[in-house]
Amino acid sequence: MSLDTSTAVHERAWSRVLPLTRAESFRIARRSTLIALAVYVAYALFLTWPLPTDPGGLISAQGLSGDLGGSISRVAYIVQHHVFPFAPATFHGLNAPEGVSQAWVLNWGSLVGTTLLYGFGYIFSPVAGAAIYLWLGFVASGMAMFLLTRRLFGNPWAALLAGFAFAYSPWAVQGMSGHADYMQGWVLVLSVWRMIELADRPTVRNGLLAGAATVAAMLLTPYFVLIGGVGFVTMAVIVLLTGVARGELLATVRGVFLAGAVVVLVFGAIGVLTVVAGGDETGSLRTESITQLYAYTARWREWVLPDQNNLIFGGLTKPYLTSHLHGSNFAESSIYLGDSVLLLALGGVFLGLVKLRRVGRAAARDIRGVAVAGGAALALVAAWFSAPPKVHLLGVWVPMPSWFVFHVTSTWRVYTRFVELIELGLCILLAFAATALLARRGRVASAVVIAALAAVLVLDLWARPPIRTTKVSAPAEYTWLKDHPGGIVADYPLEPAVFPNYAPLLWQMIDHHPIFQGYDANSDSELMKLDLVDLREPSTASRLAALGVRYIVVHPGQPGGDPANLTRQGYVLRFSGPDGSVWQDDARPAQTWVDGLQGFSVVEGGPNAEYRWMTGTGVLAITSRSCLSCWGVLTFQSASADLPRKLTVTDGRTGEVLATVPIPPDRSAPVRIPGVKLVGGQARLLLTTDIPALPPKDGDPRLLSISVGEPRFVSSP
């Protein structure tokens, strides 16, 4: 059925239902609320099945090593060790032996999400808490949109459809894989709702409530600081324009100012806390390259092509979507909005424009007109922010908002997550259009229209993955470790923190050993430990022993993980299973070693020939257990990429230049640095070059300057 453009239909779209008594209104509202709740709960359980059969033993992800496994492992550590997440603490069981500081200030910055996630973990269990948090996202998002649009347009059936579309969009369904934070759209709905109420009644109370709701939305997760902030500013503009049209500018400005003041006050306090705390306790903010933004921003085809798991069209769209991921992945690019949602939203925009043309500024007097304008603005602005940093238009590269945000802070990289705000705006418009379609129809005709729209929305938005759960069952090697307490466990292969395997952290809640993993990205701990990735390297076993590692868990595919090599290197087999083996490190602990820290690439080369390229100012850390205060000589092998360079070595503690050495190009030469002083068994040397790192001539995309291989420190007699 096409949208009727007659005046009568427009009036019906804006009109409320016939007046009812208070008791009748409450009874009808309660009944429709319970129906909506039942529908959303039932669909959430169906969507995640078989998760409801064992929420404490299953997770809603394909595998345990991904983000959901990491989230559960963090909650498990907090719960098992009774750590308060909003105060300073050191997790001694992670990143052993150094431990890792709790990012308690960052937890304040995501107060709502942290409280819910850890609260559910305490009340139920870390695994069951993750399932409840996921179900909360589905049901609460649907209910929030249902209650908002029923309040606005008065039709519970149209509101039911809008709530379903918002709660069960492909993006929300994709949250099952581990990104449940980003489908908690109910907090954004509450913020938008309070801003609409502020536009309708610009009182001090509504201004404060709008600010409080916005703060709650922004405190769910760090990404909602950006997304919720953009939503707030967009709605603030709508509210101010409404005030101008109504002739209530002064009261409206006051209300918006109060709402903004609440937001600024709260995040100003968190900023002060960040400065006062400093260090690791503030949490590590990622610094991304501009190429990451091009990978993790939206393309228009992803909004309009049905999801790869769509029941009808998924087989057709999946190959195309897979071949056009532009460096992203389906966890971040499953942002199909629903063509049916888009069509209904466009119908809502059309109806709103016709009404605006008829009544002009008087439309601002109706809260529903404000909501339609706000929904359209939110969808358009969020889509604008989702775009790549620069877009080619009419032969010109035009910068988009993400480009400007990046040049202020590069912390945020996944701008496709604005899809939650796009869908929010579209669903408000959908509810308005559906209300027009249902206006003054008989019971049978309304039932047919509702059933047809519901069927179309369910089929169009279908994104239920074929594999929805993974059993949380510890492999045999971790069960063995549980029965053999004591000592640090290093789980191989060791992975960088930016591409982690969270399974070892997850099983730490089972075996209770301190674990080698858990380091922060680009930390000294990570860089030191990634020097030990190759079990074929003769020094690895003694280095691990010096750090207190008693056991290593070796999984298939690990270089040097074969029994012959491990036995030769000094490891003793204690347990062997199909998924991994446990070896005890019986090597003699190393007395002195050298680590390449900041300013170096990953380790290259084979055993006894490992090296790393300098990519900036390199930092070498010397550690000695037997020489707490002494002098010595540092030696290593070095080569320069493509052209000769001079290497300057400086004592990081005193600033004294220890040596300036010419480094030949394309061939390795020995370098000897005398006069190195250890204080407290430690020394740090800074390595700089006269010519910065450049792309090599062979087309290698990296920036390289000088290599440093096999560094050794020998103390002087």
Side-chain angles (χ1 to χ4, degrees):
M1 176 180 175
S2 62
L3 288 172
D4 188 347
T5 58
S6 67
T7 302
V9 171
H10 296 313
E11 291 300 330
R12 290 197 296 269
W14 292 90
S15 64
R16 293 187 179 274
V17 296
L18 294 174
L20 300 171
T21 67
R22 190 165 189 167
E24 289 173 330
S25 297
F26 177 77
R27 188 165 54 253
I28 292 172
R30 183 178 61 181
R31 185 168 61 243
S32 64
T33 300
L34 291 175
I35 291 173
L37 181 62
V39 169
Y40 298 150
V41 169
Y43 199 80
L45 297 179
F46 161 75
L47 190 66
T48 58
W49 196 269
L51 184 63
T53 64
D54 186 14
L58 296 171
I59 66 169
S60 61
Q62 299 180 29
L64 301 169
S65 61
D67 289 346
L68 183 55
S71 174
I72 292 173
S73 69
R74 290 192 298 273
V75 174
Y77 193 95
I78 291 282
V79 171
Q80 290 179 348
H81 294 82
H82 306 289
V83 178
F84 182 61
F86 302 107
T90 299
F91 301 156
H92 296 286
L94 305 178
N95 189 38
E98 303 97 314
V100 62
S101 297
Q102 175 172 236
W104 63 278
V105 177
L106 186 62
N107 288 345
W108 277 107
S110 54
L111 174 66
V112 174
T114 299
T115 300
L116 289 171
L117 200 54
Y118 291 123
F120 290 151
Y122 270 109
I123 296 170
F124 302 102
S125 75
V127 176
I132 293 169
Y133 189 56
L134 174 69
W135 290 329
L136 173 72
F138 286 129
V139 177
S141 296
M143 288 303 299
M145 181 59 69
F146 167 80
L147 293 171
L148 169 61
T149 50
R150 188 186 65 180
R151 154 82 172 94
L152 292 171
F153 307 120
N155 190 304
W157 298 108
L160 180 68
L161 296 174
F164 179 89
F166 183 62
Y168 298 105
S169 69
W171 171 256
V173 174
Q174 183 59 40
M176 293 169 58
S177 66
H179 289 169
D181 280 336
Y182 308 125
M183 43 80 74
Q184 303 286 335
W186 56 276
V187 292
L188 298 174
V189 174
L190 295 180
S191 173
V192 170
W193 189 342
R194 292 315 312 178
M195 292 298 287
I196 293 173
E197 296 289 354
L198 176 61
D200 190 44
R201 289 172 293 143
T203 63
V204 170
R205 175 179 177 273
N206 280 340
L208 294 174
L209 287 175
T214 299
V215 165
M218 296 171 72
L219 288 180
L220 186 97
T221 177
Y223 264 91
F224 275 24
V225 174
L226 176 63
I227 296 170
V230 169
F232 172 75
V233 172
T234 302
M235 289 304 301
V237 172
I238 296 296
V239 172
L240 290 171
L241 291 176
T242 302
V244 171
R246 290 184 174 188
E248 301 173 349
L249 181 59
L250 185 60
T252 303
V253 169
R254 180 188 59 191
V256 171
F257 174 81
L258 288 173
V262 172
V263 175
V264 171
L265 180 64
V266 171
F267 283 92
I270 293 174
V272 171
L273 197 61
T274 301
V275 173
V276 172
D280 296 334
E281 296 179 352
T282 62
S284 55
L285 295 179
R286 299 174 68 164
T287 301
E288 307 292 350
S289 67
I290 194 73
T291 57
Q292 292 284 296
L293 268 69
Y294 280 101
Y296 294 107
T297 43
R299 307 298 188 270
W300 67 268
R301 57 180 175 269
E302 295 165 342
W303 290 329
V304 298
L305 291 179
D307 186 80
Q308 59 160 340
N309 293 315
N310 186 271
L311 200 61
I312 299 174
F313 300 107
L316 298 174
T317 59
K318 183 176 181 178
Y320 180 84
L321 292 171
T322 302
S323 63
H324 290 75
L325 280 174
H326 49 82
S328 182
N329 54 69
F330 281 119
E332 304 293 2
S333 65
S334 296
I335 55 174
Y336 175 57
L337 298 172
D339 290 335
S340 58
V341 174
L342 287 169
L343 286 173
L344 285 168
L346 287 173
V349 171
F350 176 73
L351 290 171
L353 289 174
V354 172
K355 178 67 178 181
L356 180 64
R357 183 180 178 184
R358 288 188 59 253
V359 303
R361 293 164 65 100
R365 293 284 175 185
D366 195 308
I367 189 174
R368 289 157 289 186
V370 176
V372 169
L378 286 171
L380 290 173
V381 171
W384 189 33
F385 270 83
S386 297
K390 289 189 177 181
V391 176
H392 200 249
L393 294 174
L394 302 176
V396 178
W397 286 100
V398 180
M400 296 288 107
S402 60
W403 187 89
F404 294 102
V405 174
F406 173 81
H407 284 82
V408 175
T409 173
S410 62
T411 296
W412 296 296
R413 66 180 181 124
V414 188
Y415 283 76
T416 52
R417 292 171 183 172
F418 270 95
V419 67
E420 191 76 357
L421 197 60
I422 300 175
E423 200 80 50
L424 192 162
L426 293 178
C427 286
I428 292 174
L429 298 170
L430 179 155
F432 175 58
T435 300
L437 286 173
L438 296 171
R440 297 185 184 178
R441 294 186 183 278
R443 180 173 296 180
V444 175
S446 293
V448 170
V449 172
I450 292 166
L453 289 176
V456 169
L457 285 173
V458 169
L459 293 176
D460 186 24
L461 297 175
W462 186 283
R464 191 179 190 229
I467 301 175
R468 295 174 292 280
T469 58
T470 299
K471 182 71 175 177
V472 182
S473 178
E477 57 268 25
Y478 299 98
T479 303
W480 185 92
L481 284 168
K482 178 183 178 182
D483 297 330
H484 295 79
I488 298 171
V489 172
D491 210 290
Y492 278 81
L494 297 175
E495 303 286 358
V498 291
F499 300 112
N501 176 5
Y502 287 117
L505 300 179
L506 186 64
W507 301 134
Q508 200 260 355
M509 71 179 183
I510 303 295
D511 64 54
H512 302 298
H513 283 263
I515 189 170
F516 209 50
Q517 278 89 341
Y519 34 75
D520 291 327
N522 297 317
S523 65
D524 285 352
S525 291
E526 179 194 42
L527 297 170
M528 177 269 291
K529 290 175 178 178
L530 292 182
D531 260 350
L532 306 174
V533 295
D534 194 344
L535 293 173
R536 298 169 298 179
E537 176 65 29
S539 64
T540 298
S542 61
R543 290 275 306 280
L544 289 172
L547 293 169
V549 174
R550 184 178 185 186
Y551 298 113
I552 61 171
V553 179
V554 182
H555 298 285
Q558 166 63 36
D562 56 284
N565 173 73
L566 292 173
T567 302
R568 186 167 57 252
Q569 300 297 340
Y571 303 98
V572 178
L573 180 64
R574 300 299 305 276
F575 176 84
S576 181
D579 299 317
S581 55
V582 180
W583 295 75
Q584 185 170 323
D585 187 352
D586 277 357
R588 182 180 179 182
Q591 296 301 303
T592 304
W593 62 91
V594 183
D595 292 309
L597 301 181
Q598 305 294 334
F600 287 99
S601 66
V602 297
V603 175
E604 300 180 43
N608 290 315
E610 292 185 343
Y611 63 92
R612 302 172 75 177
W613 287 100
M614 288 175 57
T615 57
T617 298
V619 179
L620 290 180
I622 304 172
T623 303
S624 177
R625 293 156 50 95
S626 59
C627 176
L628 298 182
S629 181
C630 61
W631 297 82
V633 177
L634 173 70
T635 61
F636 54 86
Q637 295 292 122
S638 187
S640 179
D642 294 334
L643 65 159
R645 288 179 169 86
K646 287 184 179 180
L647 175 66
T648 300
V649 181
T650 306
D651 187 315
R653 184 176 61 87
T654 65
E656 177 188 357
V657 175
L658 301 179
T660 299
V661 184
I663 305 298
D666 302 327
R667 65 181 179 84
S668 183
V671 175
R672 185 175 184 273
I673 310 296
V676 178
K677 184 177 182 180
L678 270 61
V679 176
Q682 301 282 334
R684 290 207 173 197
L685 304 182
L686 306 181
L687 280 61
T688 57
T689 65
D690 59 334
I691 301 176
L694 299 170
K697 295 177 181 178
D698 60 5
D700 191 321
R702 298 175 298 170
L703 298 178
L704 309 178
S705 60
I706 287 176
S707 66
V708 174
E710 299 300 310
R712 290 179 174 83
F713 176 80
V714 179
S715 60
S716 301

